[in-house]
Amino acid sequence: RKKSQRIKLAVRTEDGIKKSYKGNKWGRRKITNKKMVEDIIRLHIEQPKLTYKQISEKVYYYKGNNKKTPSTFVVFNIIKEYKTQNLE
């Protein structure tokens, strides 16, 4: 076996969170900026014809002192979460 296969076999999923055999989490952290999430949802509701790319160009957040824009995939995920919460 390759080392990568052996490591992947040691990974477990608990409550939707991937963890190594040591208990460390795998994967990227979510961008947790409440203002940015609210702005994305507000833009999506007020102007539903905007594309994900256009929304991502209008919204920003700060990481340290740097002004950053979210990726289109982040915008997609935030809108998807918002829609599923409102359907329930």
Side-chain angles (χ1 to χ4, degrees):
R1 283 189 198 169
K2 285 184 177 178
K3 184 177 180 182
S4 60
Q5 289 174 331
R6 209 173 25 148
I7 291 169
K8 286 178 184 176
L9 289 172
V11 174
R12 303 285 179 251
T13 303
E14 297 175 12
D15 302 325
I17 299 170
K18 286 191 176 192
K19 290 188 175 184
S20 69
Y21 70 97
K22 293 180 179 177
N24 299 327
K25 292 181 186 177
W26 275 34
R28 289 181 178 227
R29 291 188 183 127
K30 279 187 171 182
I31 298 173
T32 54
N33 189 314
K34 290 181 182 179
K35 182 188 176 300
M36 182 192 69
V37 172
E38 290 168 1
D39 288 345
I40 289 171
I41 292 169
R42 182 181 46 77
L43 272 173
H44 179 68
I45 292 169
E46 290 175 358
Q47 302 173 11
K49 296 202 177 204
L50 285 179
T51 62
Y52 296 136
K53 183 73 174 170
Q54 291 169 331
I55 291 174
S56 73
E57 289 169 354
K58 290 186 176 193
V59 177
Y60 61 89
Y61 66 98
Y62 285 95
K63 185 174 182 181
N65 289 333
N66 301 325
K67 188 176 180 180
K68 297 197 164 248
T69 58
S71 67
T72 53
F73 190 70
V74 168
V75 172
F76 168 77
N77 276 337
I78 290 170
I79 290 171
K80 184 178 73 173
E81 273 184 35
Y82 171 74
K83 285 181 178 178
T84 55
Q85 287 175 356
N86 283 353
L87 290 177
E88 292 175 355

